[in-house]
Every structure is written in structure tokens, then in C-alpha cells.
Amino acid sequence: DQQVKQNSPSLSVQEGRISILNCDYTNSMFDYFLWYKKYPAEGPTFLISISSIKDKNEDGRFTVFLNKSAKHLSLHIVPSQPGDSAVYFCAASSSGANSKLTFGKGITLSVRP
Amino acid sequence: DTAVSQTPKYLVTQMGNDKSIKCEQNLGHDTMYWYKQDSKKFLKIMFSYNNKELIINETVPNRFSPKSPDKAHLNLHINSLELGDSAVYFCASSLQARRTGWSYNSPLHFGNGTRLTVT
């Protein structure tokens, strides 16, 4: 049962334009969401997070939006750069003892020069 | 300096063999994890240790045995390897208050993965 879904396997955008990566979740107990970025042959690295008490969090070129009623979040990258080309994982967690991160299967972003 | 390091990076072995993957973190974190990324690309948690104590054990075959000699190390030993064990295994660490769950200020830091191929 996929509790975190990234339904689009890939996205290609032009350098300088906006990249929008989407993520849906099914578990209403999730209250903390993260995005990770992964380059080939490396481990995922933390990018940005958002708590369920917020609907937006911004860090430089990266903004995450959370729509709790729709159980949907998105990552916006503006402007996109070729170095942003990577796999992006959405992850979610509930609070409480021994909670764990549940990951989606990732979206491959390609930014064309 | 590498924050979370795991060895080896590649591991090719035959069915039935026993192998180990080692992981070390120098971040001062108190919680370490093993994740498995299978052919479908999902990252799934296998185990989590907090201060050397097992706190998460997903439905993983008992051929997999994690060992944490101290809170900076979490090794994964796999007995009687099977073809289906072929995957990329990631070690990770974080700060986590055991009784209250996630520390929101401490996301997971991952190693670079070990690609295990069982032939």
C-alpha cells in the first residue's frame, strides 16, 4: 500500500523556467513532509520540509506547498538550473514514538540548458 | 569529511553466501537506520536503532540482522543471500527523541548506498 505517491516518474523543463514536482499521500496521520534530492550513485540529501501547521515553506529557489484537505504537496523550483537535474523523493511522517519516514518512489527531473 | 559512510559501495555475491555492510556516522546522531531501495525505486525502512537499541523492525526476513556496537555504527549482516535481496541499501542517521518520535529539526542524513547484486 503506497501511502506516499509520486505519480509522474519524470519531468523535463527548460533552464530558467519553473519546475513543479507533485506528491500525494493517503495517510491522514502524516503531519510532517520532506523533499529529498538524489544524484546518481549518491544517497538522498535533505532539501526542504514542511509541517502540517503550515501551507508553505520557502528556502531560496525552493518552495514547498501543502494542501492538507487534498492530501497533496508540491515542490516548486524557480528558476530551474541544470544542476537541479536529479531524482526528487517526497517523504512523510507522523509524530509520536518511533515514527518513521515513508518515501515515494521519486521523480526524475531533467533541466535542459 | 563524510558524514554517513557505508562500505562497501558495491557487493556482488552468489546465492547462499553471508555478507555484511558497515555504516558509520560522525554527526553525533543518536539514531541510525537501514533503508532498502528495490527495483521499483521505493525507499523502504528496514531497521532503526536509537542509542544502540532496536526501535523499528519492519517485516524483514530474519536472515537480516542489524548490529549496533555503539551509536555511531550500525552494521547489516545478511545470511543465506537470495536473488531477491539484490537492491541498493542505504544507511542513514538522525537525531530523534525516542519517546516523542521525530525531531523535526533533524532530517535523515543518508550514506551513498551499497549496491548488492546476488547472482
Side-chain angles (χ1 to χ4, degrees):
Chain A
D1 178 31
Q2 298 178 38
Q3 298 187 66
V4 178
K5 301 178 182 181
Q6 296 178 261
N7 293 320
S8 300
S10 62
L11 175 68
S12 180
V13 300
Q14 191 75 37
E15 180 178 6
R17 307 294 287 268
I18 185 171
S19 296
I20 300 177
L21 290 73
N22 293 309
C23 178
D24 298 292
Y25 61 96
T26 58
N27 189 338
S28 58
M29 298 301 292
F30 287 151
D31 58 3
Y32 188 56
F33 305 89
L34 306 89
W35 284 92
Y36 279 80
K37 176 181 179 179
K38 183 184 180 303
Y39 292 118
E42 294 184 9
T45 55
F46 170 70
L47 191 57
I48 193 170
S49 64
I50 188 167
S51 165
S52 60
I53 62 173
K54 295 185 175 181
D55 55 18
K56 176 182 174 181
N57 188 26
E58 189 173 355
D59 183 2
R61 297 186 296 114
F62 303 91
T63 303
V64 56
F65 295 91
L66 176 62
N67 182 335
K68 290 187 292 294
S69 61
K71 293 191 177 68
H72 176 84
L73 62 156
S74 60
L75 175 67
H76 292 211
I77 307 173
V78 182
S80 301
Q81 299 174 353
D84 297 329
S85 297
V87 177
Y88 289 79
F89 290 95
C90 173
S93 173
S94 56
S95 55
N98 302 332
S99 57
K100 60 190 180 188
L101 271 186
T102 300
F103 284 83
K105 63 192 299 186
I107 301 172
T108 300
L109 173 66
S110 299
V111 180
R112 306 185 303 273
Chain B
D1 288 342
T2 303
V4 181
S5 60
Q6 54 183 111
T7 55
K9 189 169 180 64
Y10 300 98
L11 186 52
V12 180
T13 188
Q14 292 185 326
M15 286 175 56
N17 284 348
D18 303 338
K19 290 293 179 184
S20 293
I21 306 172
K22 295 185 176 181
C23 180
E24 175 181 5
Q25 55 95 4
N26 62 5
L27 296 166
H29 289 165
D30 58 0
T31 305
M32 297 185 71
Y33 311 80
W34 278 109
Y35 275 80
K36 178 181 179 180
Q37 186 180 32
D38 58 22
S39 58
K40 294 183 179 178
K41 304 303 182 185
F42 283 103
L43 272 166
K44 294 183 179 178
I45 191 168
M46 301 173 68
F47 302 101
S48 173
Y49 272 73
N50 177 266
N51 284 318
K52 303 193 299 176
E53 185 178 349
L54 181 66
I55 58 172
I56 293 176
N57 184 352
E58 293 295 286
T59 49
V60 176
N62 57 14
R63 298 182 295 104
F64 291 77
S65 53
K67 285 189 171 48
S68 182
D70 54 62
K71 68 177 187 178
H73 295 83
L74 180 62
N75 303 322
L76 183 65
H77 189 75
I78 315 171
N79 290 328
S80 304
L81 278 155
E82 301 178 357
L83 291 176
D85 298 332
S86 296
V88 182
Y89 293 84
F90 288 97
C91 177
S93 71
S94 74
L95 281 173
Q96 180 168 349
R98 177 170 176 246
R99 298 192 186 284
T100 59
W102 272 102
S103 167
Y104 283 5
N105 293 323
S106 179
L108 266 61
H109 293 250
F110 284 87
N112 285 335
T114 296
R115 181 174 292 277
L116 172 64
T117 304
V118 182
T119 61

